[in-house]
Amino acid sequence: MDDPARAAAEKIFAAAAELGTTRQEAVLVTRAVHAVKNGRPTDVALTDSGPHPRRRLAHVVGCALWDPALDADAVVAAVTGAARHHRSEPAA
């Protein structure tokens, strides 16, 4: 894959699938970690409490967003864009 942001987004989605988490949850965690990175508050718990284990996924997302070789905004755009595209595809 030529686009590093899209490759990072696919890595995030692959981690979510491996953890048994939905793509929607991956988008939520990505947006929350991005908010934290930019000093904004978030209401999303990035811990393993309750029915949503997010700590390990947040770690994968954080590694992508803090990677100096990647543009964090482009990674978030790739994650949200891929999720939007995935939702609009007809079910097979």
Side-chain angles (χ1 to χ4, degrees):
M1 186 173 291
D2 294 336
D3 183 4
R6 285 186 58 204
E10 289 307 315
K11 188 180 288 187
I12 290 168
F13 289 130
E18 185 177 312
L19 295 168
T21 304
T22 65
R23 291 174 75 91
Q24 181 179 1
E25 187 77 10
V27 171
L28 180 69
V29 170
T30 301
R31 287 181 173 161
V33 172
H34 187 253
V36 170
K37 180 181 185 336
N38 289 307
R40 294 188 315 266
T42 180
D43 292 333
V44 177
L46 298 174
T47 61
D48 285 342
S49 61
H52 304 290
R54 296 176 176 148
R55 185 184 56 79
R56 284 193 268 165
L57 183 56
H59 176 77
V60 172
V61 171
C63 288
L65 297 186
W66 265 272
D67 184 340
L70 295 173
D71 176 6
D73 295 330
V75 173
V76 172
V79 168
T80 56
R84 209 173 299 122
H85 175 72
H86 182 72
R87 264 193 317 245
S88 66
E89 290 179 351

